[in-house]
Amino acid sequence: MNNIINWHKKKYPLMEPQDVYKLLYQGEFGSGHAITSKFQALERLLNEMEFTNLNIYQDLYEEVSDDIIRVNLAPYKLYKLDPYYLFDAFIDTSNTIKGNDSLFLEKLKQANIDSYNVGAVHHSKTYVDNYHPHYRIISKKYLTDEMRKMQIINFLSQIKQKSIIALEGKCGSGKTTITNYLKSILPITVINVDDFFLPKERKTNERLSEIGGNVDYERIHNLLLKLKENKLKTYQKFNCSNGEYEEVEFENKKIILLEGVYSYHQNFRNLIDYLIFLDIDNFTQDRRLRSRSNYQRFIKEWIPLENRYFEREFIKYLSDIIV
């Protein structure tokens, strides 16, 4: 819980206790109020979208709990996404997520936030004046592939300088799919962490006991250092199938995407400019992995290692955006 609070405080450093209360309230109760008139609620949404300011940057959506997100209206309008879909998702979320008073009070206690009276509150004036919150609360189950793509496109659009971006996420979360999509529409260079696994002779028990020790993080560190110094022309990728190194010519484009689990390894994260985290629930992950021939290796070997990395390093909440 404190992870999500700190993540929002990083994005919105002027948050006041009232805004933290609202964040936790929405994470437990959703929108937190019954819709008395669907017609009026739709009219409010359409009017709010009509007058929303498109000249400020906001993420398309932001996580407020494991199951609930805020969808910001400005980027939703900017990318011409369907307001009626958002409205239906908002209504259904309001009708189905009820929350629990006792659980909510316990979250407030853990966050050292006064309980007020349990109920919806407005954002503080400071938050409103500085961050212009106009959004709707919906369940994560209403996130579409299009919204996930636009979340990343929207984020990349505000990056003006040459940048190295780590693309993290559990296996099966769609990293390869998203990467191929980005390559088809943007000038980016992709470096795959899978090309930097350790050769067999370096897989000692001591090394493999490290978090992310199965990755040749020393070579990635050196590669990124050369990249920062504009000295990178080629690099060696390791071919796991034959145990040999192959030379790759480096394309020096504006966005360098380091893609794969351990792309935000602590050994070289100081050389990374931004972190994108692709989220996935356990059920969807398992369903996707069952179609792969090496399913058992994922379950018995790779997923436990990845989960240890994600959980101990708090990778998700170190990210700039969660997709």
Side-chain angles (χ1 to χ4, degrees), residues 142-176:
Y142 290 109
L143 270 179
T144 65
D145 289 341
E146 182 181 23
M147 291 169 69
R148 288 185 172 92
K149 290 177 181 177
M150 289 304 104
Q151 172 83 321
I152 297 180
I153 294 298
N154 181 53
F155 177 74
L156 295 179
S157 71
Q158 53 88 39
I159 297 176
K160 306 304 180 186
Q161 72 284 356
K162 183 176 178 179
S163 300
I164 303 172
I165 301 174
L167 180 63
E168 279 278 12
K170 296 180 180 181
C171 53
S173 60
K175 297 185 296 296
T176 301

Side-chain angles (χ1 to χ4, degrees), residues 9-186:
K9 284 184 174 180
K10 181 174 69 173
K11 297 178 76 67
Y12 305 108
L14 298 179
M15 284 181 73
E16 297 183 359
Q18 181 177 337
D19 304 299
V20 177
Y21 177 98
K22 188 174 184 69
L23 172 69
L24 296 177
Y25 186 86
Q26 290 173 337
E28 180 64 30
F29 298 100
S31 62
H33 53 79
I35 307 299
T36 56
S37 168
K38 289 181 65 174
F39 176 79
Q40 291 180 353
L42 176 59
E43 188 174 36
R44 282 197 297 272
L45 171 61
L46 296 177
N47 286 338
E48 200 169 342
M49 289 188 72
E50 181 179 357
F51 294 104
T52 190
N53 184 357
L54 299 181
N55 295 318
I56 58 172
Y57 174 80
Q58 294 175 320
D59 292 342
L60 176 58
Y61 57 86
E62 301 162 337
E63 185 173 292
V64 298
S65 74
D66 288 338
D67 304 308
I68 299 172
I69 58 173
R70 292 171 177 169
V71 178
N72 290 309
L73 299 187
Y76 197 87
K77 176 183 177 180
L78 179 66
Y79 294 105
K80 297 180 173 58
L81 298 173
D82 185 0
Y84 297 97
Y85 176 83
L86 178 61
F87 176 73
D88 288 339
F90 167 67
I91 291 295
D92 186 72
T93 301
S94 300
N95 291 336
T96 56
I97 295 181
K98 302 303 180 184
N100 181 285
D101 285 358
S102 297
L103 291 177
F104 175 61
L105 290 173
E106 180 59 29
K107 291 177 181 178
L108 291 178
K109 181 179 178 181
Q110 292 178 19
N112 295 316
I113 299 295
D114 291 335
S115 62
Y116 301 88
N117 295 314
V118 174
V121 299
H122 295 293
H123 278 294
S124 67
K125 185 177 186 302
T126 300
Y127 193 98
V128 171
D129 289 345
N130 286 276
Y131 304 125
H132 315 286
H134 295 281
Y135 55 74
R136 289 299 182 271
I137 299 292
I138 68 170
S139 168
K140 269 188 183 179
K141 69 181 181 181
Y142 290 109
L143 270 179
T144 65
D145 289 341
E146 182 181 23
M147 291 169 69
R148 288 185 172 92
K149 290 177 181 177
M150 289 304 104
Q151 172 83 321
I152 297 180
I153 294 298
N154 181 53
F155 177 74
L156 295 179
S157 71
Q158 53 88 39
I159 297 176
K160 306 304 180 186
Q161 72 284 356
K162 183 176 178 179
S163 300
I164 303 172
I165 301 174
L167 180 63
E168 279 278 12
K170 296 180 180 181
C171 53
S173 60
K175 297 185 296 296
T176 301
T177 301
I178 285 291
T179 297
N180 289 336
Y181 170 72
L182 293 176
K183 285 171 61 178
S184 71
I185 62 170
L186 294 173

